[in-house]
Amino acid sequence: MLYALSLLVGISFLTLGGEALIRGAVAGARRMGVSPLLTGLVVVGFGTSAPELVVSIDAAINQQPDIAVGNIVGSNIGNILLILGLCALICPMTVQPQALRRDGVFMVAATVLFIGLAFGGALGRLDASIFLAGLISYLIWAYLSERQQTIPAAEMHAAEADEVTALPKTTISIVMALGLGLGLLIGGSQLLLYGAIGLAQAMGISEAVIGLTIVAVGTSLPEMAVSVIAALRRHADVAVGNILGSNIFNLLGILGISAFLQPLPIADRVAAFDQWVMLGAAGVLMIFLYTSMRLSRLEGGLLLAGYGVYLTLSFSVIGAF
């Protein structure tokens, strides 16, 4: 019970901390005159991945690579199958062709890059440098391409910033929001890891399974909040753009930073099963989106069903590895 309570409190702290950090960062960006485009692309799109960042770095430093890697792989799977599946049931998801050709293709490329670099059995500092170089290249390419021309993709990223409301107004409140968010993220990550590791030991399952499922879903709640709000407001392209950007940052940014701080061995089950599920989910999403530039309710239901199958396998046959 103590481990489960620690896990739930940790997830709550991460969710609240992520929200506070995003609101403070968006308010600060606006006060400093940062363009809505850059605010949506970087602050919101990647800010929602702050819980994954803190948890994976904490796990890497504390010699828990299965949770560090599992958190990212599981988050990317959940972002597509769970979050986009849920959002598509609320409102069919449309996508801008320009954003799909760049962000969607880059997400698949980042997934393939991860599988290629993980083939050696571990991610080291050289691999981390490749990840981070890829992220920097993506950010420069995305910002320059959208700044130089008025395209729907640019409007989509600018609109991501508008999904964040109830922003702090004064400098003091902005600093307090940032400080509170960071503190909750750090404290939440400690509680989450304590509860996750203890629960795994008590239940006799691997840390990789906990990282790929419970931890991954818990750290993905900010992405779910932004995407569901966008779907309810019928801003479907913002929901899709948020997930594509988050998955790119998870692989290139978070794994890059984590592996640079501490080499990360790849668990056997991730290499044999989960990384292929992540690639398959990305591929199926691209097929669904490319066929009609939208994600229908039927397709969303199929994604959700796929996540149910993945969870069932993770805690049964595959969970033994």
Side-chain angles (χ1 to χ4, degrees), residues 9-306:
V9 174
I11 290 174
S12 299
F13 279 12
L14 286 171
T15 303
L16 294 173
E19 285 293 309
L21 191 67
I22 291 171
R23 295 179 195 280
V26 170
R30 290 181 178 177
R31 181 171 286 268
M32 291 186 294
V34 177
S35 69
L37 165 60
L38 190 59
T39 301
L41 179 63
V42 179
V43 177
V44 180
F46 293 161
T48 52
S49 293
E52 287 99 327
L53 175 63
V54 176
V55 169
S56 287
I57 288 178
D58 200 353
I61 293 175
N62 287 285
Q63 304 291 320
Q64 293 154 346
D66 287 353
I67 290 182
V69 176
N71 177 38
I72 299 306
V73 174
S75 289
N76 277 24
I77 293 171
N79 281 350
I80 294 175
L81 299 183
L82 174 62
I83 297 179
L84 281 185
L86 177 62
C87 289
L89 290 181
I90 297 173
C91 171
M93 300 278 100
T94 57
V95 63
Q96 301 294 345
Q98 296 92 334
L100 183 60
R101 284 195 293 267
R102 188 196 63 214
D103 300 343
V105 171
F106 211 97
M107 179 192 68
V108 174
T111 304
V112 173
L113 177 64
F114 167 80
I115 293 174
L117 295 180
F119 186 74
L123 298 174
R125 288 189 171 89
L126 177 58
D127 304 314
S129 299
I130 295 173
F131 281 140
L132 293 174
L135 177 63
I136 293 171
S137 300
Y138 166 74
L139 288 175
I140 294 174
W141 176 28
Y143 182 68
L144 291 179
S145 65
E146 296 185 4
R147 189 188 64 175
Q148 293 171 357
Q149 51 184 320
T150 303
I151 60 175
E155 297 172 0
M156 178 199 70
H157 285 300
E160 287 184 359
D162 295 332
E163 299 299 326
V164 182
T165 57
L167 301 178
K169 304 297 183 183
T170 65
T171 302
I172 294 178
S173 61
I174 291 172
V175 173
M176 290 179 62
L178 292 172
L180 177 63
L182 184 59
L184 286 172
L185 285 172
I186 293 173
S189 69
Q190 294 288 331
L191 288 171
L192 181 67
L193 289 176
Y194 172 78
I197 294 168
L199 203 60
Q201 294 174 347
M203 296 175 63
I205 58 179
S206 69
E207 291 183 6
V209 174
I210 292 294
L212 286 156
T213 54
I214 298 174
V215 174
V217 171
T219 57
S220 293
L221 290 179
E223 286 99 331
M224 180 178 291
V226 171
S227 297
V228 168
I229 290 172
L232 290 171
R233 293 175 177 173
R234 298 299 189 265
H235 298 166
D237 55 342
V238 174
V240 175
N242 177 56
I243 294 303
L244 295 179
S246 177
N247 280 16
I248 292 170
F249 183 69
N250 284 349
L251 288 171
L252 301 183
I254 298 178
L255 273 185
I257 295 172
S258 301
F260 191 83
L261 294 174
Q262 181 70 41
L264 300 174
I266 305 298
D268 291 340
R269 67 152 285 162
V270 173
F273 177 65
D274 302 284
Q275 65 177 3
W276 304 110
V277 174
M278 179 173 64
L279 179 61
V284 168
L285 175 64
M286 292 293 286
I287 292 172
F288 283 167
L289 292 176
Y290 261 117
T291 52
S292 58
M293 291 298 150
R294 70 196 297 268
L295 190 65
S296 68
R297 286 191 171 90
L298 174 60
E299 291 166 338
L302 291 175
L303 292 180
L304 275 177

